[in-house]
Amino acid sequence: MPVEFLGIAATNDGSEVTARSGVSFDREYTLRLARAHEDHGWDRVLFAYGSGSPDPSPAAAYIAARTEKLQILVAHRPNVSYPTFAAKTFATLDHISDGRLAVHFITGGNDHEQQREGDFLTKDERYARTREAIQIIKKAWTSHEPFDHEGTHYRFNDFVSDTFPVQQPHPLVSFGGSSPAAYEAGGAEADIYCLWGEPLAQTAEQIESVRTAAKAAGRTDVPRIQVAFRPIIAPTEELAWEKAYDTLARIKSRRSGGLLNRRYPVRNPENTGSQRLLAVAAEGDRHDRALWTPTAAETGGAGNSNALVGTPETVAQALLDYYDLGVDILSARGYDLLDDAIDFGRHVIPLVREEVAKRDKILSGADA
């Protein structure tokens, strides 16, 4: 099966190891980073969402108008706009990008972060709202006749859009989460189901949970699976591990100075995904071929935070281990966003693609 690579479309050069050098939306840096991904073999970049961060949709439009083939994944929290409005926004963006858009729906695992923008629902209520919002947006993307809706979280009459996506039937819907409520909602609605990097055994269990939920929802297909990591690569194993421990020291230094406390404030996270990452970290620093957990432990299991450490060959083989589980979208983001995107694109992506092609050739021969 084909493999895809997802990078990050950051709007500035800040990360866990370094403060940003300019404003939160640095147009020149945003474009340089996107073009670095486009020029070095990446398929898609994610415009993430944060309560105080630049709005991902206009940032994505800016990049879409200045790139040719790079696909775009825009994160969206349903609490920040009404589904009919969101559907028009994304349909318009799909036209700007000439059909290169996908939408990542974020339910929100942290009550405090959600409440910063007026969202006081419980987590399970948020998952139910996300599922309802996705259903409405899909219908708005595809229905050329007016329709009414009366649900738990949304109610409207006689809506029909005059703006439909380029992609048919609609852009891909991406979704993430590690709780039973997440599996239920995403298993029913998602084209792509996103997981954070865990050991192979736990990842296999999560994939099975997603597939079971999809079947329970009456689907005859299953979502594609995406898994996210923080690669730390160098020409030798020794140099890679030196780089890993230096990265960890820089994260600790910034945290001790109070510079990460707003972005990574939680030591006892509410969301299941972060709890799982911390549980893995408590079991040990190293897992499987190259998975390294201290970066997740130091940031409270926040988001994509488990690393893969080693030479390009080691990290490529580790990614292929996940591919062999059924993961066909590999998400990666370094700590030096620009340079790491280039290095990963030059040295890791070709190795993975070459090995996937060999596997596909063998499989096609077996099927002949």
Side-chain angles (χ1 to χ4, degrees):
M1 62 182 175
V3 64
E4 294 184 8
F5 288 90
L6 171 70
I8 191 68
T11 59
N12 60 71
D13 59 357
S15 76
E16 296 93 330
V17 301
T18 184
R20 73 178 190 231
S21 61
V23 295
S24 63
F25 182 48
D26 181 333
R27 291 184 301 170
E28 292 185 5
Y29 182 84
T30 302
L31 183 56
R32 284 180 64 201
L33 183 60
R35 286 179 172 166
H37 282 86
E38 185 171 56
D39 293 342
H40 291 89
W42 299 78
D43 298 285
R44 195 186 308 269
V45 289
L46 167 67
F47 284 84
Y49 190 94
S51 60
S53 302
D55 188 339
S57 289
Y62 174 76
I63 292 304
R66 291 163 176 81
T67 55
E68 296 180 359
K69 60 183 180 180
L70 187 67
Q71 298 177 66
I72 292 166
L73 179 61
V74 173
H76 172 67
R77 287 181 183 168
N79 62 293
V80 300
S81 68
Y82 209 75
T84 50
F85 179 85
K88 295 183 295 181
T89 298
F90 299 136
T92 303
L93 185 51
D94 201 42
H95 278 271
I96 293 171
S97 66
D98 195 24
R100 288 181 281 149
L101 176 72
V103 182
H104 179 60
F105 287 85
I106 300 175
T107 298
N110 182 295
D111 289 348
H112 186 195
E113 168 67 7
Q114 294 300 122
Q115 291 166 10
R116 285 169 172 160
E117 293 190 288
D119 185 6
F120 289 86
L121 296 184
T122 66
K123 187 174 72 170
D124 283 355
E125 289 172 335
R126 293 197 296 267
Y127 276 116
R129 179 184 58 194
T130 299
R131 184 172 181 178
E132 187 177 341
I134 292 172
Q135 292 169 344
I136 293 168
I137 290 170
K138 285 180 178 178
K139 191 167 185 178
W141 279 339
T142 56
S143 176
H144 291 259
E145 298 295 330
F147 66 96
D148 303 337
H149 179 84
E150 186 167 351
T152 303
H153 299 282
Y154 303 104
R155 177 184 177 185
F156 56 86
N157 294 326
D158 198 40
F159 177 80
V160 63
S161 179
D162 193 33
T163 306
F164 296 91
V166 172
Q167 299 175 78
Q168 296 297 316
H170 55 71
L172 294 175
V173 168
S174 172
F175 186 96
S178 298
S179 67
Y183 298 142
E184 182 179 358
E189 302 296 339
D191 301 301
I192 300 168
Y193 201 100
C194 306
L195 302 170
W196 291 332
E198 297 185 14
L200 292 164
Q202 287 92 322
T203 300
E205 291 170 358
Q206 290 215 76
I207 292 172
E208 184 58 32
S209 294
V210 172
R211 291 174 175 171
T212 298
K215 184 177 180 180
R219 292 178 61 167
T220 57
D221 64 340
V222 294
R224 299 170 63 192
I225 302 297
Q226 172 186 305
V227 178
F229 303 96
R230 307 297 294 270
I232 300 175
I233 62 171
T236 69
E237 295 291 330
E238 181 180 3
L239 288 173
W241 284 105
E242 287 181 9
K243 184 177 178 181
Y245 285 109
D246 177 68
T247 297
L248 182 62
R250 294 168 69 188
I251 295 172
K252 289 181 175 180
S253 176
R254 295 202 74 213
R255 177 175 282 284
S256 65
L259 300 175
L260 296 180
N261 290 346
R262 182 168 178 84
R263 186 176 177 188
Y264 303 104
V266 180
R267 284 296 187 180
N268 297 299
E270 302 164 10
N271 61 308
T272 305
S274 293
Q275 292 169 3
R276 289 177 64 99
L277 295 189
L278 292 180
V280 170
E283 294 172 1
D285 288 355
R286 300 190 189 188
H287 300 262
D288 300 325
R289 191 186 299 267
L291 190 71
W292 193 56
T293 64
T295 47
E298 187 60 31
T299 54
N304 172 19
S305 51
N306 266 342
L308 291 177
V309 181
T311 63
E313 292 77 11
T314 295
V315 170
Q317 288 299 320
L319 292 169
L320 287 162
D321 291 338
Y322 288 90
Y323 175 83
D324 290 338
L325 288 181
V327 177
D328 69 336
I329 304 176
L330 300 168
S331 175
R333 170 166 57 102
Y335 288 94
D336 183 333
L337 301 177
L338 181 60
D339 288 346
D340 286 349
I342 293 170
D343 285 347
F344 189 88
R346 283 177 175 167
H347 302 300
V348 178
I349 289 177
L351 295 176
V352 176
R353 291 199 193 282
E354 181 181 358
E355 288 301 318
V356 166
K358 290 179 181 178
R359 284 163 164 75
D360 287 347
K361 185 176 181 179
I362 293 171
L363 183 60
S364 62
D367 292 341

